[in-house]
């Protein structure tokens, strides 16, 4: 009688190991919102800006985006990925049949696009969008929301798979742990000596390795992460600006405002006011 086989190794000689890709940190998505409306009236929103990424697809033609003077049609044959902190106009001369995702690329390492990316709808994307739209029509409930999440994640992975992204070297485990700490605890003491100690490296070696794998110094990466997470809190919560500043590692609101304005061209109060006006609050 044939003995039962036990597969204890997670790799084989026949498959392709994807561990280096996963460890490189590209991509992992935190999905904030999934939406679909068949006929949005007056879909005209100038100066849209947000600290998170957006995925747009319109199953019906007629609407477009404007980015730095360039007209980007939203059509059944394409979808658009809009990186975080990209300012654009939504133009709806007709009611917008609009599907969207708001999300954060949580472990992005290496260069990222600086403007909207138009992606042709292939059969994979078309099937995934159709599944997403069908799920929106199901009865409201936790089961539907879980399916929406899985469909949304699959759709984002399929869209990112079509982008011409540079290969990113695999991130060593000790640096991945540091990146996870920065993401999870932006309020903590994230000085270079502290992070070097957490990585198990000398200060000089840590700074050199960090810059090699992320393209930034540890201090610049920490500041950028804190500002990104604070921007998400401004858009997605009702916490005060003082609370958001302290919870994201800034000593006070004034310092936070100065850095936020330098990075994004407007202060946190103005950014939040824009978000509220856009939502009719």
């Amino acid at each position: 009688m044939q003995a039962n086989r036990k597969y204890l190794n997670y790799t084989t000689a026949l498959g392709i190991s994807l561990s280096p890709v996963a460890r490189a940190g590209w991509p992992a998505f935190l999905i904030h919102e999934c939406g679909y409306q068949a006929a949005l009236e007056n879909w005209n929103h100038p100066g849209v800006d947000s600290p998170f990424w957006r995925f747009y697809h319109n199953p019906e033609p007629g609407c477009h985006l404007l980015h730095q003077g360039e007209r980007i049609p939203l059509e059944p044959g394409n979808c658009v990925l809009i990186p975080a902190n990209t300012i654009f106009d939504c133009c709806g001369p007709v009611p917008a049949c609009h599907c969207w995702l708001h999300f954060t690329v949580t472990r992005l390492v290496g260069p990222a696009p600086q403007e909207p990316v138009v992606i042709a709808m292939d059969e994979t994307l078309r099937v995934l969008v159709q599944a997403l739209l069908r799920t929106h029509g199901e009865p409201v409930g936790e089961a539907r929301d879980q399916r929406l999440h899985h469909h949304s994640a699959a759709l984002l992975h399929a869209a990112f798979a079509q982008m011409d992204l540079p290969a990113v070297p695999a991130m060593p485990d000790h640096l991945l742990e540091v990146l996870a700490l920065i993401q999870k605890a932006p309020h903590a003491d994230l000085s270079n000596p502290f992070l070097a100690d957490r990585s198990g490296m000398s200060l000089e070696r840590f700074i050199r390795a960090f810059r090699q794998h992320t393209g930034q110094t540890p201090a610049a990466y920490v500041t950028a992460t804190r500002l990104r997470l604070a921007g998400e809190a401004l858009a997605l919560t009702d916490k005060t600006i003082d609370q958001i500043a302290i919870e994201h590692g800034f000593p006070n609101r004034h310092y936070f405002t100065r850095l936020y304005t330098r990075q994004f061209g407007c202060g946190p109060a103005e950014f939040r006011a824009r978000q509220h006006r856009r939502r009719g609050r």
Side-chain angles (χ1 to χ4, degrees), residues 192-193 196 199 201-211 218:
N192 285 349
S199 72
M201 291 187 285
S202 68
L203 180 59
E204 182 179 350
R205 184 182 170 206
F206 166 71
I207 293 174
R208 184 170 60 251
F210 194 98
R211 187 159 197 166

Side-chain angles (χ1 to χ4, degrees), residues 2-262:
Q2 186 177 8
N4 291 331
R5 295 182 178 181
K6 295 182 180 180
Y7 290 94
L8 301 179
N9 194 339
Y10 64 89
T11 63
T12 73
L14 304 177
I16 298 172
S17 173
L18 295 179
S19 296
V21 177
R23 291 174 59 191
W26 181 280
F29 306 115
L30 174 61
I31 301 169
H32 305 301
E33 182 176 296
C34 171
Y36 170 65
Q37 291 292 321
L40 279 169
E41 296 288 346
N42 191 27
W43 193 69
N44 293 281
H45 306 295
V48 177
D49 57 346
S50 64
F52 42 79
W53 285 63
R54 295 168 183 251
F55 170 95
Y56 280 179
H57 172 68
N58 284 19
E60 301 292 339
C63 298
H64 63 276
L65 306 177
L66 280 178
H67 173 68
Q68 296 183 352
E70 179 186 358
R71 188 178 186 274
I72 304 173
L74 292 171
E75 299 176 336
N78 70 20
C79 60
V80 180
L81 286 170
I82 307 169
N85 304 309
T86 301
I87 300 177
F88 61 97
D89 300 337
C90 292
C91 304
V94 299
C97 182
H98 185 49
C99 171
W100 71 92
L101 298 172
H102 296 171
F103 62 99
T104 295
V105 182
T106 58
R107 287 170 49 201
L108 177 59
V109 177
Q114 300 298 310
E115 57 188 18
V117 179
V118 179
I119 297 175
M121 292 287 287
D122 63 6
E123 187 59 26
T124 299
L125 286 170
R126 188 172 293 107
V127 168
L128 291 172
V129 165
Q130 290 172 352
L132 191 68
L133 301 189
R134 284 197 304 271
T135 307
H136 270 286
E138 295 178 2
V140 175
E142 291 185 3
R144 181 207 62 174
D145 293 352
Q146 286 202 22
R147 282 192 288 276
L148 283 175
H149 183 270
H150 289 303
H151 288 316
S152 299
L155 182 57
L156 290 177
H157 279 290
F160 272 72
Q162 289 209 28
M163 295 172 64
D164 185 19
L165 298 170
V168 178
M171 182 74 67
D173 287 340
H174 50 271
L175 286 184
L176 277 178
E177 292 173 6
V178 168
L179 295 185
L181 173 64
I182 296 170
Q183 175 82 18
K184 293 177 182 178
H187 60 281
D189 169 20
L190 300 177
S191 64
N192 285 349
F194 173 78
L195 295 176
D197 183 65
R198 288 297 295 262
S199 72
M201 291 187 285
S202 68
L203 180 59
E204 182 179 350
R205 184 182 170 206
F206 166 71
I207 293 174
R208 184 170 60 251
F210 194 98
R211 187 159 197 166
Q212 174 188 350
H213 285 280
T214 69
Q216 294 178 283
T217 65
Y221 185 93
V222 166
T223 299
T225 301
R226 283 171 166 166
L227 288 171
R228 174 176 62 78
L229 294 174
E232 291 177 10
L234 288 168
L236 302 172
T237 76
D238 291 322
K239 293 180 179 180
T240 68
I241 295 176
D242 294 272
Q243 283 179 292
I244 291 171
I246 296 301
E247 289 178 3
H248 291 84
F250 301 101
N252 54 62
R253 171 177 179 159
H254 302 293
Y255 182 68
F256 169 51
T257 297
R258 185 163 70 251
L259 289 184
Y260 197 91
T261 303
R262 183 188 306 164

